[in-house]
Structure formats: C-alpha cells, structure tokens
Amino acid sequence: TFIRTAHRNTEYVIQVLGNKSVTAYSSSEAAQFRDWLIKQGMSMRTVKRVFASVRAVVNLTITEHGLDCINGFAKTYFPADEDINDRLAIPKEDITKVQALCVEMDDDIRWLIALISDTGMRLGGAAGLHMDDIKLDEPIPYIDLKPHPWRSLKTKGSQRLIPLVGASLWAAERIKTNPHQTFAFPRYNTTSSTNANSASAAINKWLKPRVPEGYVIHSFRHSLRDRLRAVQCPSDIIDQIGGWSTAGVGQAYGEGYGLDSKWEWLQRINLNSGF
C-alpha cells in the first residue's frame, strides 16, 4: 500500500508539473500542484497527505544524493479550514435530482452515490463493503457496516447496522445483481486495500456540475443529519444511524436502538422521495 501510494502521488506530480529533477521544482509549481489536486475533488486532508508523501520523497532524494537545493514542496500554503466543503449539507432538492440521475445512469459509481445518499455512510465505509454486508433477505433490509482486512472504519461507533430505505435500498438491490462474490464495488478494492481516494475523485468530478458550488460526496452525510433533524428525530437516534459519537457516559450503556426504530425515522425523511 505504501509503495503504491508513493508511486501514485509522484505520478500526479509528473502529470501536472512534468518529470524533472527534484532541484527544478519551485514553490510556485507546488502551489500549482496543490490547486490541481483540489480541482480533482480531493478534500484538503487528502491534499495534505499527497503533499506529505511527495515532500518525503523529495527530502530523501536531496539527502541521499547530497543535493544543494531546497524542497519546493516544503512550505506550501493550505487553506486553514480544511473541512469547509465536507461540512456543507446538500439541499434536499439537489439530493432528489442526483438520486434521479443515479437511477437513470444505473452503473456502479451511481450505485455508490445513491447508497450513501440515504444512509449517511462515509465514502470509505461504503466503497469497502463486502457483498455479504448487504442484507436484503430480512424483514428490514440493512447494511452490516463492519471493518474488513482491506478497509478499517474511522471510529468504534462507525460499526453499526443501517436500515436501507429510498435510494439506498434501490442501490443495494442493484449492487446485488453484480456477479462479483466478494466486493460490492470491485473497481475500488483489492484483498489488501480500498481506494477511497480514487472513488472520491471520480464521484466529486461527476457531482461538481450537478450540485451547488462547494458540495462533495461527504456532504450527503451532513445532509442526512439535517434531514433527520427536520423530522424531529431524537439526537441519540441520529447519532446511531450515522455512527457519530454521542456525548454523555450514559449513552455508552445498553445495546442502543434496534433496526426498526432507525428504519422508522429513515422512512420519514423519504416519504416523498419517489422510491
């Protein structure tokens, strides 16, 4: 994974700035490279990870070869609020429009978008699903979101059961038609890793002309929270649906809400969705 990531990030540099001696890359070119990464739909966290990798490669080269130069990628400026786009919640009318386009196009990338739109899953969690994580032959269809060798989860609370309703249920049913027996999204997975960055770049590029400025795939997650608030869903149920940390010691006790309770609230935000 480390080697593949290093190769991919250096290929980005070559694609944007050309294949030159490390002594030839300037700080202004590094800024140009930063802007290109952002335009690909990467979050600022991802851009910083790419820069950290490239910076380390250049530093090692300078040290090993005794070069008398500075690292052009060493002091690049990054906007202070790295999550500004991620925090935006997509308006309901735009969610409906995107979901309709997903049904119309009906391919695996659109299935992934639709799956996230009514579940609030993080992109990495959804992209790394095993086919067996999708439970359709149950009274309440649901996602069994859990860690796998190829994809961990962000927090302990991220592991949860998520009822499937609306566009997400449609997407899950379409995914199950795929003959692949292991991964829900084979193009983004190997037995050792899930390439969420690739999924993010492709999805955000497609979303950009179809949603208002500044909205990205992660915005669906924040939209779900707002949509649940709008139907007066209790905050602790919202937290369990989305896998958000819940404040208070008492919340750590007991087994939490069942699928039926979570399904009921998710159904309320999808009453007029057309699914």
Side-chain angles (χ1 to χ4, degrees):
T1 300
F2 172 82
I3 293 171
R4 182 174 60 251
T5 301
H7 277 299
R8 183 182 67 240
N9 292 337
T10 52
E11 285 297 323
Y12 286 158
V13 173
I14 292 169
Q15 179 181 343
V16 179
L17 304 177
N19 191 357
K20 304 185 288 189
S21 165
V22 295
T23 63
Y25 293 112
S26 66
S27 57
S28 63
E29 286 181 309
Q32 178 186 339
F33 181 56
R34 173 204 61 209
D35 294 343
W36 180 86
L37 292 173
I38 293 172
K39 288 179 180 177
Q40 304 314 299
M42 296 185 191
S43 69
M44 197 55 63
R45 276 196 302 269
T46 302
V47 172
K48 287 183 176 181
R49 285 198 296 268
V50 172
F51 261 79
S53 175
V54 172
R55 191 183 305 121
V57 169
V58 175
N59 278 336
L60 180 61
T61 304
I62 290 172
T63 301
E64 289 292 302
H65 293 277
L67 303 177
D68 183 17
C69 67
I70 63 170
N71 185 340
F73 299 89
K75 296 182 179 180
T76 306
Y77 167 78
F78 300 99
D81 191 358
E82 64 181 36
D83 288 326
I84 187 166
N85 287 346
D86 283 358
R87 294 192 184 118
L88 294 172
I90 299 177
K92 181 63 175 71
E93 58 271 19
D94 292 295
I95 293 174
T96 302
K97 180 177 69 175
V98 168
Q99 289 175 335
L101 287 170
C102 287
V103 173
E104 182 181 328
M105 295 185 69
D106 196 15
D107 61 17
D108 61 334
I109 295 178
R110 261 47 64 171
W111 300 344
L112 180 52
I113 296 170
L115 186 67
I116 290 169
S117 70
D118 280 335
T119 59
M121 282 190 287
R122 294 181 177 90
L123 176 58
L129 287 173
H130 191 284
M131 289 292 267
D132 291 343
D133 295 338
I134 302 173
K135 311 291 187 180
L136 296 182
D137 298 326
E138 301 289 340
I140 296 177
Y142 67 95
I143 295 290
D144 182 7
L145 185 59
K146 58 190 176 185
H148 290 295
W150 56 87
R151 188 265 289 129
S152 60
L153 296 177
K154 186 174 182 180
T155 65
K156 182 179 179 181
S158 296
Q159 183 169 339
R160 60 198 188 278
L161 305 183
I162 312 171
L164 289 165
V165 300
S168 295
L169 177 57
W170 169 83
E173 290 169 342
R174 299 299 296 135
I175 291 164
K176 280 292 198 176
T177 66
N178 192 317
H180 201 282
Q181 298 301 306
T182 303
F183 302 118
F185 300 98
R187 75 161 74 199
Y188 295 125
N189 290 278
T190 67
T191 54
S192 62
S193 67
T194 296
N195 194 343
N197 287 343
S198 178
S200 176
I203 289 172
N204 287 330
K205 182 178 180 180
W206 182 80
L207 283 175
K208 189 172 183 179
R210 295 170 174 85
V211 294
E213 181 69 26
Y215 294 91
V216 294
I217 184 63
H218 196 69
S219 301
F220 283 104
R221 179 167 166 80
H222 294 283
S223 297
L224 185 76
R225 192 173 188 95
D226 282 354
R227 291 163 66 195
L228 287 165
R229 284 194 189 109
V231 295
Q232 300 182 340
C233 179
S235 59
D236 50 348
I237 297 183
I238 294 176
D239 290 336
Q240 287 199 20
I241 290 172
W244 286 286
S245 298
T246 302
V249 175
Q251 300 295 339
Y253 292 86
E255 296 183 358
Y257 292 92
L259 269 175
D260 54 347
S261 296
K262 292 185 281 188
W263 177 85
E264 178 185 347
W265 287 103
L266 285 172
Q267 278 289 80
R268 292 190 187 189
I269 67 173
N270 278 279
L271 288 177
N272 300 311
S273 67
F275 285 93

